[in-house]
Amino acid sequence: MDILHLVDRLEELFNESRPIWLTHSVIVDENRLMDLIDQMRISIPEEIKKAQQVNVQRDRVLAQAQEEANRTLALAREKGEKMIERNEVAQLSQARADQIIEQAHREATKTQREADKYVADTLMRLEAELGRILAQVQNGIRTLQTNGSVQQPQISPNNPKDLL
């Protein structure tokens, strides 16, 4: 399930919650809230898998670009060897081969930068979304603790097992 859809459902749960009179607090259906949190725990690894797939795709594109550069280089060398008969023709072919190699390297570098940027953007969006979700969950917990309806659990933010 898409993490953004789950966030929308969490917001919907909050909006549907009953307000506590004369406060900024609401009463949240615990079962629905816990169900959404469980679904988020399941969905987040899926988002990470998607980011890993983007990395794999980037590596494949880079490998294809490298293969193309190697093929181009091999073709340039082959053509260069055939044209060695004349010095002037050999110089021209060498210059062209150098251009092709340089362009292949530029294209490979550009493709790598674009793939890296896409991966970084995707991971940054995921990080921002997770931060927003975490802030919402923490606000909900604080609200419940402020109302005294929930005792504060002994959870260490540095121990992921405490979060499960």
Side-chain angles (χ1 to χ4, degrees), residues 21-22 24-25 34 38 48 51 59 62 77 79 93 106 111 116 142 146 149-150 158:
W21 197 60
L22 297 176
H24 290 285
S25 302
M34 294 309 292
D38 288 341
I48 291 171
D59 291 343
L62 290 174
R77 283 185 181 151
K79 286 182 180 181
S93 67
R106 280 194 308 268
T111 300
D116 287 346
R142 270 196 301 278
T146 302
S149 60
V150 174
N158 295 329

XYZ file of all heavy atoms in Angstrom, residues 21-22 24-25 34 38 48 51 59 62 77 79 93 106 111 116 142 146 149-150 158:
174
model
N -14.278 18.433 24.711
C -14.827 19.768 24.916
C -13.856 20.664 25.671
O -13.208 20.261 26.628
C -16.154 19.625 25.641
C -17.017 20.844 25.560
C -17.494 21.431 24.451
C -17.475 21.603 26.667
N -18.233 22.508 24.754
C -18.250 22.654 26.146
C -17.320 21.513 28.019
C -18.869 23.589 26.946
C -17.941 22.452 28.823
C -18.707 23.484 28.278
N -13.692 21.880 25.165
C -12.861 22.932 25.756
C -11.362 22.607 25.722
O -10.581 23.121 26.511
C -13.284 23.234 27.200
C -14.711 23.778 27.376
C -15.018 23.925 28.844
C -14.891 25.104 26.653
N -7.946 21.199 22.874
C -7.513 20.948 21.497
C -7.265 19.465 21.282
O -6.582 19.082 20.341
C -6.229 21.728 21.182
C -6.440 23.199 21.097
N -7.047 23.809 20.036
C -6.136 24.191 21.969
C -7.108 25.099 20.241
N -6.553 25.369 21.422
N -7.793 18.655 22.151
C -7.560 17.213 22.098
C -8.744 16.501 21.462
O -9.854 17.029 21.417
C -7.351 16.658 23.501
O -6.260 17.304 24.121
N -3.901 1.909 15.550
C -2.893 0.846 15.569
C -2.854 0.114 14.227
O -1.782 -0.271 13.749
C -3.167 -0.139 16.713
C -3.005 0.498 18.094
S -1.442 1.370 18.339
C -0.312 0.016 18.310
N 0.444 -0.164 11.905
C 0.947 -1.461 11.411
C 1.093 -1.441 9.900
O 2.079 -1.945 9.352
C 0.007 -2.602 11.836
C 0.099 -2.898 13.327
O 1.110 -2.497 13.953
O -0.835 -3.521 13.861
N 11.285 1.534 0.509
C 12.736 1.360 0.463
C 13.105 0.417 -0.675
O 14.079 0.640 -1.397
C 13.255 0.863 1.821
C 13.111 1.978 2.857
C 14.703 0.387 1.728
C 13.387 1.560 4.271
N 13.145 2.292 -3.828
C 14.365 3.092 -3.969
C 15.539 2.201 -4.376
O 16.366 2.586 -5.200
C 14.683 3.818 -2.651
N 22.247 1.436 -12.042
C 23.449 0.648 -12.333
C 23.356 -0.005 -13.705
O 24.352 -0.074 -14.439
C 23.653 -0.418 -11.257
C 24.036 0.190 -9.916
O 24.448 1.362 -9.880
O 23.908 -0.522 -8.906
N 23.980 2.629 -16.315
C 25.410 2.938 -16.361
C 26.184 1.827 -17.066
O 27.107 2.104 -17.842
C 25.956 3.142 -14.949
C 25.489 4.413 -14.246
C 25.989 4.436 -12.805
C 25.947 5.647 -14.989
N 38.658 2.243 -32.923
C 39.987 1.639 -33.114
C 40.051 0.836 -34.412
O 41.042 0.891 -35.141
C 40.312 0.733 -31.930
C 40.714 1.503 -30.709
C 41.157 0.603 -29.593
N 41.516 1.417 -28.435
C 41.422 1.014 -27.198
N 40.989 -0.195 -26.926
N 41.765 1.804 -26.222
N 38.260 1.232 -37.100
C 38.293 2.155 -38.234
C 39.660 2.820 -38.354
O 40.165 3.027 -39.460
C 37.203 3.222 -38.095
C 35.818 2.707 -38.358
C 34.802 3.826 -38.253
C 33.410 3.308 -38.523
N 32.402 4.375 -38.449
N 40.946 10.301 -38.285
C 40.196 9.235 -37.626
C 40.511 9.177 -36.133
O 39.626 8.904 -35.315
C 40.469 7.882 -38.286
O 41.806 7.485 -38.078
N 31.096 11.677 -21.511
C 30.205 12.747 -21.052
C 28.789 12.217 -20.852
O 28.128 12.532 -19.862
C 30.206 13.903 -22.050
C 31.392 14.834 -21.929
C 31.179 16.139 -22.682
N 30.784 15.972 -24.071
C 31.615 15.922 -25.102
N 32.911 16.056 -24.904
N 31.168 15.766 -26.331
N 24.375 10.573 -17.439
C 23.385 9.559 -17.062
C 23.554 9.185 -15.600
O 22.576 9.058 -14.862
C 23.538 8.303 -17.953
O 23.348 8.692 -19.315
C 22.518 7.246 -17.593
N 21.680 9.400 -10.085
C 21.976 9.712 -8.687
C 21.026 10.778 -8.155
O 20.552 10.688 -7.019
C 23.423 10.191 -8.538
C 24.434 9.067 -8.697
O 24.046 7.886 -8.653
O 25.622 9.388 -8.856
N 1.551 12.703 22.301
C 1.618 13.788 23.279
C 0.222 14.225 23.706
O -0.029 14.470 24.879
C 2.402 14.972 22.712
C 3.875 14.925 22.987
C 4.532 16.275 22.750
N 4.366 16.772 21.394
C 5.138 16.396 20.377
N 6.099 15.549 20.550
N 4.935 16.885 19.169
N -1.073 14.068 27.404
C -1.485 15.303 28.056
C -2.856 15.133 28.703
O -3.099 15.631 29.795
C -1.525 16.470 27.037
O -0.228 16.602 26.464
C -1.932 17.763 27.709
N -4.947 10.034 29.417
C -5.618 8.780 29.057
C -4.627 7.687 28.713
O -4.984 6.528 28.640
C -6.581 9.006 27.893
O -5.872 9.473 26.774
N -3.374 8.048 28.505
C -2.357 7.049 28.179
C -1.122 7.365 29.016
O -0.668 8.498 29.067
C -1.979 7.098 26.673
C -0.820 6.162 26.388
C -3.173 6.755 25.818
N 16.397 5.497 20.256
C 17.574 4.940 19.595
C 17.497 3.426 19.437
O 18.354 2.821 18.822
C 18.839 5.290 20.380
C 19.083 6.784 20.388
O 18.731 7.472 19.432
N 19.652 7.297 21.451
